[in-house]
Amino acid sequence: MKEVGQAMTEINYQLRLAAKTDYPFCHDLTKQNMLTLFSRHWGGWVDSVFHNDFQAEEATIIQVDGQDVGYFSLKETKTELYLSNMQLSSATQGQGLGSSIMESILANTSKQMRLTTFSDNPAMRLYERLGFEVAERDGETVYMLKR
């Protein structure tokens, strides 16, 4: 994948590669954003699951005015990109930042992209607007693809 660079949106943002020291920020932001959905669908938050799934080398930190406001994690294979996580602070949600980042990622790859979400996750509207289609459903878990 080509480098994802800075873009202009209603929010001017910068990206930096994550380090292992970013784990607490990513953990806390994900828990804050996803606790309600995880509780509804999986019975709650499990620290060990996040700990086992989070790989700093796959994560990119999103900054606004030098402050960390979110992150995304991409796993790349020869044929596809998998967006394993994307989290934004509540202060930056709904301002076009997520759209801008997703559009930049999509513009810089020729690979198909996939992601997993919950059917009642508000971010699903963003994914559909960007052209992701439901490939499979498993209860409330939705697997989406963009070719």
Side-chain angles (χ1 to χ4, degrees), residues 94-120:
Q95 299 179 43
L97 181 57
S99 295
S100 180
I101 291 167
M102 289 292 293
E103 288 167 353
S104 182
I105 293 168
L106 290 166
N108 285 290
T109 187
S110 58
K111 297 178 180 185
Q112 87 174 2
M113 190 168 167
R114 68 181 174 93
L115 56 88
T116 305
T117 191
F118 293 116
S119 62
D120 56 346

Side-chain angles (χ1 to χ4, degrees), residues 76-135:
E76 186 171 10
T77 69
K78 290 184 180 190
T79 59
E80 71 178 13
L81 289 178
Y82 175 62
L83 180 69
S84 61
N85 213 329
M86 182 172 189
Q87 301 295 328
L88 297 174
S89 69
S90 58
T92 59
Q93 292 175 7
Q95 299 179 43
L97 181 57
S99 295
S100 180
I101 291 167
M102 289 292 293
E103 288 167 353
S104 182
I105 293 168
L106 290 166
N108 285 290
T109 187
S110 58
K111 297 178 180 185
Q112 87 174 2
M113 190 168 167
R114 68 181 174 93
L115 56 88
T116 305
T117 191
F118 293 116
S119 62
D120 56 346
N121 184 342
M124 192 163 166
R125 290 188 301 274
L126 165 65
Y127 305 139
E128 289 172 333
R129 192 170 67 247
L130 292 171
F132 283 83
E133 297 177 349
V134 174

Side-chain angles (χ1 to χ4, degrees), residues 2-143:
K2 298 177 187 171
E3 182 178 330
V4 180
Q6 180 177 345
M8 290 297 291
T9 179
E10 291 182 33
I11 299 176
N12 187 17
Y13 70 91
Q14 300 79 39
L15 302 176
R16 69 170 176 82
L17 297 177
K20 290 183 182 195
T21 55
D22 291 306
Y23 177 87
F25 168 75
C26 296
H27 171 277
D28 294 349
L29 182 60
T30 304
K31 185 174 182 179
Q32 175 185 336
N33 287 351
M34 301 300 292
L35 181 60
T36 300
L37 288 168
F38 285 177
S39 295
R40 183 178 309 134
H41 299 294
W42 293 344
W45 176 265
V46 180
D47 279 324
S48 61
V49 172
F50 185 85
H51 181 77
N52 291 336
D53 289 346
F54 182 79
Q55 301 295 320
E57 62 274 7
E58 296 170 347
T60 300
I61 303 295
I62 305 161
Q63 296 182 313
V64 173
D65 296 329
Q67 297 296 311
D68 296 346
V69 299
Y71 79 99
F72 61 89
S73 294
L74 286 172
K75 297 180 183 191
E76 186 171 10
T77 69
K78 290 184 180 190
T79 59
E80 71 178 13
L81 289 178
Y82 175 62
L83 180 69
S84 61
N85 213 329
M86 182 172 189
Q87 301 295 328
L88 297 174
S89 69
S90 58
T92 59
Q93 292 175 7
Q95 299 179 43
L97 181 57
S99 295
S100 180
I101 291 167
M102 289 292 293
E103 288 167 353
S104 182
I105 293 168
L106 290 166
N108 285 290
T109 187
S110 58
K111 297 178 180 185
Q112 87 174 2
M113 190 168 167
R114 68 181 174 93
L115 56 88
T116 305
T117 191
F118 293 116
S119 62
D120 56 346
N121 184 342
M124 192 163 166
R125 290 188 301 274
L126 165 65
Y127 305 139
E128 289 172 333
R129 192 170 67 247
L130 292 171
F132 283 83
E133 297 177 349
V134 174
E136 183 181 342
R137 289 183 185 267
D138 182 6
E140 294 299 313
T141 302
V142 179
Y143 303 92

